Amino acid sequence: MMLIRYLSQIGRYFLMLKEIFNKQTKWSVMKNLILKEIDDLIIDSLGIVCFISFFIGGVVAIQTALNLTNPLIPKYLIGFATRQSVILEFAPTFISVIMAGKMGSYITSSIGTMRVTEQIDALEVMGVNSLNYLVFPKIIALLMYPFVIGISMFLGIFGGWIACAYGGFSTGADFISGAQMEFIPFHITYAFIKTLIFAMLLATIPSFHGYYMKGGALEVGKASTISFVWTSVTIILLNYILTQLLLG
């Protein structure tokens, strides 16, 4: 019974994706909606992303340095390990899980509140495709999400360099040498491919839970929690699959 419910929800989600791209809202209206979503979802997220990235990069560098106790192991490996950790996993995946909480709860609660207050019904009565009007601008805005992850990568490595150089674990030159060592450009491509797919999930899964919720104000809070859980689970599962496909 549980399996059937999950399958019906997955089917409903894909039907919602199809409906988002039907009957487009006119561009003069859509343009303002997209700009508002960029401000709410991308610009407002930069502060928390920068803060977390800088300090996690520092923590990764310090922990790597503390575990390299053998004097025969070169110190430049700290920079190498920090770069690999930040670019491959931390920036695209860890930040996306955090954004599932920040962006996801905002999207679910805003659409859920519109459902509760019957604003979505009013849009439908006026002949507007409410899914296109509400969700499409979020998808377009989150096409800028790789820009956020790019900043996260830079600040993660920069935080590692600061922690390493000023914490006395190695010299800044050694760290930079390690960060440049055996660099594979495809790793950046891999990170951005993941990021774009995660951006699509961040825009659509919380929207799905907000749009199809039933009840009152209490249920809006429950829907936000459920959307965070499912967005995080989907991101982690897809992370495993994409890593196996692209790097395996």
Side-chain angles (χ1 to χ4, degrees), residues 92-139:
T93 308
F94 187 67
I95 290 292
S96 294
V97 171
I98 292 168
M99 289 300 105
K102 187 194 178 296
M103 287 183 192
S105 58
Y106 167 75
I107 291 170
T108 305
S109 59
S110 60
I111 296 178
T113 303
M114 289 183 77
R115 172 63 76 190
V116 168
T117 54
E118 298 179 354
Q119 292 176 59
I120 292 175
D121 298 332
L123 286 171
E124 295 286 352
V125 166
M126 290 189 290
V128 176
N129 177 358
S130 57
L131 277 169
N132 177 260
Y133 184 87
L134 294 170
V135 185
F136 185 74
K138 293 174 174 56
I139 294 172

Side-chain angles (χ1 to χ4, degrees), residues 57 60-86 160 164 169-182:
V60 169
I62 291 166
Q63 289 187 349
T64 306
L66 292 174
N67 282 290
L68 296 179
T69 49
N70 191 324
L72 298 175
I73 298 173
K75 292 292 183 185
Y76 63 73
L77 283 179
I78 300 168
F80 176 79
T82 304
R83 184 199 76 204
Q84 293 296 90
S85 302
V86 167
C164 209
F169 296 103
S170 82
T171 64
D174 274 350
F175 185 91
I176 291 167
S177 170
Q180 293 173 334
M181 187 181 69
E182 293 179 21

